[in-house]
Amino acid sequence: MIVDPDEADAGTWSAILRAHRTQEFSDHVFVVEGDGPEIDALRALPGVRIPAQLDPVAAARLSAIEKLMIHAWSEREKASRTVRPGHGLNWGHKGFQNP
C-alpha cells in the first residue's frame, strides 16, 4: 500500500496504523496482510493506492528506495507463484534435479 500524504485524512492514517503491516519501506509505503474485505476496505480509503494504481506523477514522487522496494516485492510475489521442478524437496532427495 502506498499512502499519499496529500490525499490521506486522519481516518486513513488511523486505519493504516491499526493494519497488520508486515513490511515498512518508508513512512508511507507498506506491505499489509489481511483478509479480502479488510484489504479492500483499506484500498478504498482516501489517499491509498497499490503499485498498479500509481500514475506517472505519483510514481515520480516516490524515492528511489521506495521504487526499488516496490519492484523487488512485486518480483518476489511473481516468483512465489512460479512452479519449479523439485519445489519443496531438498537437494539430497532421490530423483531431485538441481536448477
Side-chain angles (χ1 to χ4, degrees):
M1 305 240 155
I2 301 154
V3 180
D4 184 334
D6 295 334
E7 295 178 20
D9 60 18
T12 297
W13 288 112
S14 178
I16 291 292
L17 292 175
R18 286 191 315 269
H20 180 67
R21 294 177 313 241
T22 58
Q23 300 285 326
E24 295 184 21
F25 301 141
S26 69
D27 62 346
H28 64 273
V29 179
F30 326 99
V31 174
V32 177
E33 284 187 355
D35 61 16
E38 181 182 6
I39 297 300
D40 291 342
L42 290 171
R43 289 175 60 180
L45 294 169
V48 174
R49 292 185 178 87
I50 60 171
Q53 295 172 315
L54 285 178
D55 58 41
V57 173
R61 288 194 302 250
L62 295 173
S63 73
I65 296 294
E66 290 167 337
K67 290 176 190 174
L68 177 66
M69 296 309 292
I70 289 169
H71 177 73
W73 186 262
S74 9
E75 290 299 311
R76 176 184 177 270
E77 288 299 301
K78 286 182 211 169
S80 69
R81 292 187 298 266
T82 303
V83 177
R84 297 181 308 265
H87 183 71
L89 300 176
N90 68 40
W91 284 33
H93 188 271
K94 183 179 178 179
F96 178 76
Q97 296 177 352
N98 46 340

